[in-house]
Every structure is written in C-alpha cells, then in structure tokens.
Amino acid sequence: MSGVTLLTANVSLESALASHYGKSVALRRVWSDQWRDPAEVAMDACGANPELLILGSDLPADIARGVVADVDRRYRSTTSVVLVTVADVEDTVELMRLGARDVLVEKPADEGFLDSVDTVLELARDRHGRAADPGAGLRRRIITVVSPKGGSGKTTIATNLSVGLAHRMPKQVMLLDLDLQFGDCAAALGLKPEHSLLNAIKSATHERSALKVFLTSHPSGLALLPPPDDLVAVDEIDGDELKQTVAALTEEFPFVVIDTGGGIDAAALAAMDLSTDLLMVTTTDVPAITSVRRQIEILDQVGYTSQRRILVLNRSNAKVGLSVKDVEETIGMEVKFQIPSTRMIPVSTNEGTPAIEKDAGNVARKFEEIAAYFAPSEDRGSRSLLRALRKDR
Ligand SMILES: Nc1ncnc2c1ncn2[C@@H]1O[C@H](COP(=O)(O)OP(=O)(O)OP(=O)(O)O)[C@@H](O)[C@H]1O
Ligand SMILES: [Mg+2]
C-alpha cells in the first residue's frame, strides 16, 4: 500500500487533506503523546511504505529532524515534507540538508498550501515509482543557451523556454543565469531575487537540497538563480566551485535552462560541460552566422561534442537578404526553430512578463514549440496543479 502518512495530532489538518484528495489518496494519521526515539517514530510512519510523509508542525523539532534523517537514510522510496508554524531560513536549510524535500508553513485552510502539498506529492510519487523501477522517471535535461554575439536573443529564449517548461512541470525547472556580469533574467521575469549564485557557492553546505533555499520562485513554478549584483564578487568566483555548485543544483531539477553571456567564458564552459543540450542562437546577419560557425568549430576542437546541438534562428523574418537556407548552408546545421522579430518581445521584456505568458499568438507558439520539443506531453506534470497555479496569478 502507498499513500500519505501524517505525523500530527492535528485532526483539522487531516480532514483538510482528506477533503482535498477524497479517495484518490490513502491518508493515514499517526500520533503518540509519548514521542520516543525518532528511528522508532520513522518506522511507525513508514511501515505502510507511504509515498509521502508529512511531519506536522506540532511534532517536537528535535524528533522531526531525527525522523527526516532516518527516513532519508532508511526509507529511500518515501519523501518527507516538514510543516512549520513560522518559516525560518536556517531551520529550513538544516531540514533540507537532513533530507526533507520541502518545508512548508502549515495552513490547512489555504489553497496555496494545498497546492504546495500537491507538488511535493507529485514528486514523491515519481520518486516512489523510480525506487520500484530505477529505470523509470523523467529524462533529465540541462539546456544551455549560447551565442557568440551579444544581443542575439539568448535571454529572451532562455526565459521563455524555461517558463514554457515550468508550465508543463511546475517546480521541476530551474533557470540559472550564468551571464555573470550582465545577467538580466530576473528583470525579464519581473523578479527581485534576494539571493544569488554567490550565496549558493559560499553556502557552508553543498548538500544539494539545501541549496534550493537560494532560489527565487516565479509564479509559473520556475526557480531562478541569478548572478550576484556585485561585479567585484563576480571576479572572486572560483571556476571549480562554480561548477560544483551548478552540478549540485542540476541534480535537484529534471530540467535546467542556463543562460550565458556572449562568447565562451569560463562560466559558459562549465555550463556546457554539464549540459545535455546546447541551444545555439543566431540572427540572420552575416557576422552572427559566421561567428556561430566559428563557435561550432571551437567546440569541436575542444571536444564539446557529446551535447545535442540545436540551432535557433531569432528575428528570422528580418529582411536582410539571407534566407533560412543560406543560414543552414553557412553554419552546416538545420535551423530547428525560428522566432520572428516582433515589438512584443522587447515590450514584454521591459514589463517583466515573458512573451510566452503575455501573448496567445504566433510568438508564444514559437516558444511553446521549443518547450514541447524538450518536454513532450507525456512528461507533463499534474494538469490540475498547472491550472491551479495559473488561476493563482
Ligand atoms: N525576436 C525578437 N524580436 C524583437 N526583439 C527581440 C527579439 N529577440 C530579442 N529581442 C530584443 O533584443 C534585445 C536583446 O535580446 P536578449 O537580451 O534576449 O539578447 P541576449 O543574447 O541575451 O543579449 P546579451 O548578450 O546582452 O545577454 C532585447 O531588448 C530583446 O527584447
Ligand atoms: Mg542576455
């Protein structure tokens, strides 16, 4: 049997979840007035092999920490989530370091709270299924958006693609802005992040799940990690540390999109090294096209050949005398996607609303096409959850 086990005395939490899920989830509540050894509590809670274990905010904090650690160690197919009365970054980092999948403020009457539990349950089911069948599960993709020329549309494509993927799979997509000097993904998404890549790099722990506290959420369900604001701090970033942190973060998300600055700098090399796919962006002008061809030659020379390369032609309808065929012949690759030039794109960037969410027409469809290429419909997350997230906005 599987389902959800609740470790709480709070019957109103139990009934809120029972009425939210109806018969679709087997819900079981476990409680004792005499808390003993956390390992015994974990054994009671995980005896029925639940997909998700929810630790109520009334569970003593030391017992909760012990149970989370024990579940992480001994009950690998069960995911745990801890409920708290007040959010605290240090406690959250500690609980996630011990193995909690998430830490949520307990608000049984709140739709947002129930949505968050839905999301964790979705991930828990995936993990439970994978524990039974280790070959199953989502296909992990790390997609780096590159272009030798500045201003070709990398950020536009990275932000719209990642939001398109997040619509399909909320909370399973991260956008990492590795344009360390001039990264502007946060502005393009209308976000004001509190933390940056530097916090993640300098964080005392490199436990994968704990790094997630440094991410900023977009209403689409996308998680963003921006570069630091401070350019002096950028200079201090060590290439190996950067790569380790990026590698740790990418382990936590089935889909990671990485935006880069122009050219091939150390950050772009680290990103490409970890990538499954390179989205190569060009416009229709001769200098852009020849520099993409040159970039491909360099990648071949330095041995970056295992990543799938996908060519995107931005501003594809610009009347500058070169056809798609000319572009393909010069670069020696098929143009997989074309994005037309439209005023709507800079307007949406300036507003902080990605074009894919602003427009229901041709341009949004172009970005949807790219998202669908990476996440075909069978990989989609919960549709009800997606609807709920959209309704929230
Ligand atoms: N298809 C398009 N139609 C019209 N404007 C576009 C299009 N694509 C991008 N732009 C605009 O061109 C500018 C540069 O785009 P973007 O920031 O995405 O490029 P970039 O490659 O990330 O640049 P940088 O190298 O500076 O990071 C932005 O103002 C953007 O809104
Ligand atoms: Mg950019």
Side-chain angles (χ1 to χ4, degrees), residues 3-4 13-28 114 118 121 125:
V4 175
L13 174 63
E14 182 184 19
S15 44
L17 289 170
S19 66
H20 181 63
Y21 288 117
K23 289 200 166 56
S24 65
V25 168
L27 195 64
R28 172 173 168 265
L114 294 171
D118 277 352
L121 179 56
R125 288 192 154 150

Side-chain angles (χ1 to χ4, degrees), residues 150-156 179 262 314-315 339-342 345-346 349:
S152 55
K154 296 179 294 295
T155 300
T156 303
D179 183 350
N314 191 21
R315 301 174 189 269
I339 299 165
S341 184
T342 155
I345 289 185
T349 308

Side-chain angles (χ1 to χ4, degrees), residues 231-263:
L231 283 182
V232 178
V234 167
D235 273 349
E236 287 165 11
I237 292 180
D238 171 86
D240 286 341
E241 278 183 346
L242 169 77
K243 202 163 156 192
Q244 265 174 28
T245 307
V246 173
L249 281 161
T250 55
E251 284 281 305
E252 278 297 296
F253 290 87
F255 282 80
V256 176
V257 177
I258 305 179
D259 189 18
T260 59

Side-chain angles (χ1 to χ4, degrees), residues 142-165:
I142 301 171
I143 307 155
T144 298
V145 185
V146 292
S147 170
K149 290 275 179 200
S152 55
K154 296 179 294 295
T155 300
T156 303
I157 291 167
T159 48
N160 281 283
L161 165 61
S162 51
V163 167
L165 288 171

Side-chain angles (χ1 to χ4, degrees), residues 195-232:
H195 305 292
S196 77
L197 176 66
L198 195 66
N199 299 101
I201 291 175
K202 298 290 173 210
S203 129
T205 167
H206 276 117
E207 282 293 326
R208 299 197 316 248
S209 48
L211 289 173
K212 289 173 85 176
V213 294
F214 300 116
L215 304 177
T216 299
S217 298
H218 183 260
S220 59
L222 172 70
L224 170 74
L225 188 62
D229 285 334
D230 178 1
L231 283 182
V232 178

